[in-house]
Amino acid sequence: MDENNKENQNRTTPVRVRMPPSPTGFMHVGTLRMALFNYIFAKQKGGKIVLRLEDTDRQRSKKEYADDILDGLRWLGLNWDEGPFYQTQRAEIYKQYLEKLVDRGKAYHCFCSSEELEAHRQYQMSRGEAPIYSGKCAAISPEEARELISCGRKSVIRFRAESKKIKFNDLVRGEIEFDGSLIGDFVIAKDFENALYNFTVVVDDFEMGITHVIRGEDHISNTPKQILIQEALGLPRPEYAHLPIIMGADRSKLSKRHGAVGVTEYRRQGYLPEALINFTAFLGWNPGTEKEIYLMPELIRDFSFDKVQKGGAVFNSARLDYLNSCYIKNCAPGDLAKLCLPYFVSAGYLSEEKSGGQTVYKNPRTGEGVELEFIEKIVSYQQSRLKKLSEIAEASGYFFLSELSYEKELLKWKDASFAETKLALDKIKNIFANIEAGDWKRQNLEEAVLPQIAGFNLSVGKPEKDRGYLLWPLRVALCGQKMSIGPFEMADVLGKEKTAKRIDAAVEMLNGSICAPNLFNR
Ligand code: GLU
């Protein structure tokens, strides 16, 4: 197709998709995937996205959940063009369509009690038949129904479903056929004011000019019902694409057990939106190449429904961690530092204050102001190790302490004695003392210390190449623990003065363990 034709086609059939989450829970991966695939497809086609909150289930829908979903979508950058529309505010519109159907005899009031319906259902099941409505109230005329209602009889509105074959084309699965005789007359509204899901969706999709319905496989069985309603109302049929079910590695229904949590929780734990999007795009879509990092523009460029699988999509949280670590590694340290600030604050390593319209950070232990460059230096050394941002505070807390507390035993490397450990620290202290504050950079520190290792080891009778005798005590002196970034990296972050203070504190501890006559006592 040449460019002109392509443009013409776009003009004549503008793509319009919908994101229709039900606010009956916090935003989860299924909602995210539905929104993402709609977003990608709409952007690829230059189309528009309508956001619609399907809150007709008043008991289960909550504002808190709706807000969570809207926040999640915004955070992920999955922006919409129109809406949000709330179905509970559209009752008048549904009512008009419901009345039309009832007037045309395509829907009727049903007065069966739930006990009656249940008994019939049991009876059908016992005979191995599909449980469908008996049709008992199908012959009640609208006038009769009005009378019964005015006498206080309870009713619902049922759609008169034709028992014919219903076929539709699915962009993922090809042709799908349903046997309408297995559907039976189904409930589309509690009353004229309270329409239910299958009905509201059809009305809204038409009213909102939706051309493509992209949603989870769990909605396939609703599609024939929705098609029957469309036909009864004389409405056009949108294109359908049903995305595969998302499941855990054990092929069971996805749950927390598989590491799947809500989008807000992922955000809280420090997953980057780009990583979550990249991960979710692969829940059902596979470009069939080795390429695994996909930013949004590439997803929009490469997406197609024929690369969406029919079989279930397996959720693998280790892959999400891996992708997140890739995105963290690629972050500019300045940006990453800003993203990490809240984690230091919530861990109590930083306090936040507003001053002249600006946010300033302090170390609450020392009262010192903390510049963003300091945080930037920390994160630049940590970023290759992080799987998620929330790990930053625990991994770097020692930078913010005014005093470290650790067992002096920890300072010793392998068979080194306290005296040898002290010698190592003294040695480093002297080397560091000769480095100007202006030259205090990781590389300079390393270049000053590393060539001295062999000589030091030989002087205390240790294997020439074992870096631990000199560097381990330095590591522990600077952070008070076993796990940390490299000792020169830590010294770089701490600066000359604090590094010297921490080494002095370690030496001080060791002095207490060394008695003069037995200098080399272990
Ligand atoms: N509100 C439905 C849900 O959250 C989606 C309905 C649809 O896509 O038709 O599952």
Side-chain angles (χ1 to χ4, degrees), residues 193-210:
E193 271 69 43
N194 289 288
L196 296 174
Y197 164 71
N198 276 311
F199 189 77
T200 56
V201 161
V202 169
V203 171
D204 281 345
D205 286 349
F206 170 67
E207 286 274 327
M208 296 172 183
I210 300 305

Side-chain angles (χ1 to χ4, degrees), residues 18 20-22 54 197 201 215 219:
R18 23 73 118 205
S22 297
E54 304 204 322
Y197 164 71
V201 161
R215 59 186 175 188
H219 286 292

